């Protein structure tokens, strides 16, 4: 009696395991709905509708969290809005899916320069140069951004020192 219940449990486990494995998609196949939303978001971004593009891209990522291109475009939109910290996080998400994505490495490096993390941006430049083997556009763009340096920020103390005192 014990042997038959163990055999039945083992058979049930094998059947459930094989069923769950056959229902999964391969890692390189992104959901078509997610890709369609990505294309719509590209059009919205090109038209200057950053809010609409963000909404479409967030939906695309929700439909298929493996859509690396959606993460990269979402990061570019965040960067266009002047949110380099958010862009860095979104580029990191894309790089978790593919650490060799030179577009994501360049974008993250440019956002890092905006935040003043030039040393980390140089690390990204080294990775891009290693991946490209020869000169490529992503390496050139990031090198130019690093050479330009972080943007100058105006602090309250600097503004106050330039303003003449009122009598």
């Amino acid at each position: 009696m014990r042997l038959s219940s163990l055999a039945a449990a083992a058979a049930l486990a094998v059947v459930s395991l094989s069923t769950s494995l056959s229902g999964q998609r391969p890692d390189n196949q992104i959901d078509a709905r997610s890709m369609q939303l990505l294309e719509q978001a590209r059009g919205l971004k090109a038209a200057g509708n950053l809010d609409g593009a963000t909404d479409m891209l967030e939906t695309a990522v929700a439909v298929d969290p493996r859509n690396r291109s959606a993460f990269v475009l979402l990061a570019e939109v965040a960067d266009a809005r002047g949110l380099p910290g958010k862009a860095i996080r979104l580029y990191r998400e894309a790089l978790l899916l593919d650490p060799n994505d030179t577009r994501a490495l360049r974008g993250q490096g440019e956002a890092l320069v905006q935040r003043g993390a030039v040393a980390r941006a140089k690390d990204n430049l080294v990775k891009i140069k290693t991946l490209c083997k020869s000169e490529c556009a992503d390496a050139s763009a990031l090198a130019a951004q690093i050479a330009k340096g972080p943007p100058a920020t105006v602090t309250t103390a600097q503004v106050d020192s330039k303003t003449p005192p009122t009598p």
Side-chain angles (χ1 to χ4, degrees):
M1 188 74 175
R2 280 187 191 197
L3 202 50
S4 64
S5 63
L6 285 175
L12 184 60
V14 168
V15 168
S16 65
L17 181 63
S18 64
T19 304
S20 67
L21 290 178
S22 66
Q24 293 180 353
R25 290 179 305 200
D27 285 342
N28 61 358
Q29 185 180 356
I30 304 296
D31 191 309
R33 294 172 299 169
S34 181
M35 295 305 291
Q36 182 182 14
L37 290 165
L38 174 64
E39 290 306 315
Q40 290 175 357
R42 282 189 177 130
L44 290 170
K45 181 183 179 239
N49 185 354
L50 297 181
D51 291 333
T54 299
D55 292 342
M56 286 287 180
L57 290 166
E58 287 175 350
T59 305
V61 169
V63 168
D64 194 343
R66 296 171 298 145
N67 191 342
R68 178 178 37 87
S69 297
F71 278 114
V72 172
L73 191 58
L74 194 55
E76 289 173 0
V77 169
D79 203 23
R81 288 181 156 183
L83 303 170
K86 184 174 183 177
I88 291 168
R89 183 182 59 80
L90 291 165
Y91 283 123
R92 184 175 49 237
E93 292 292 328
L95 290 168
L96 287 173
L97 295 169
D98 181 10
N100 297 327
D101 185 349
T102 57
R103 182 176 164 202
L105 284 166
R106 183 200 75 224
Q108 185 184 48
E110 290 172 349
L112 286 167
V113 169
Q114 289 179 3
R115 296 286 297 215
V118 177
R120 287 183 54 204
K122 287 179 181 179
D123 292 341
N124 280 19
L125 181 60
V126 168
K127 288 177 192 174
I128 292 172
K129 286 182 177 181
T130 302
L131 292 169
C132 287
K133 304 282 189 242
S134 64
E135 195 62 31
C136 63
D138 289 326
S140 300
L142 182 55
Q145 185 70 29
I146 290 171
K148 195 163 87 171
T153 57
V154 179
T155 63
T156 308
Q158 291 172 331
V159 172
D160 289 341
S161 67
K162 293 179 184 177
T163 307
T166 50

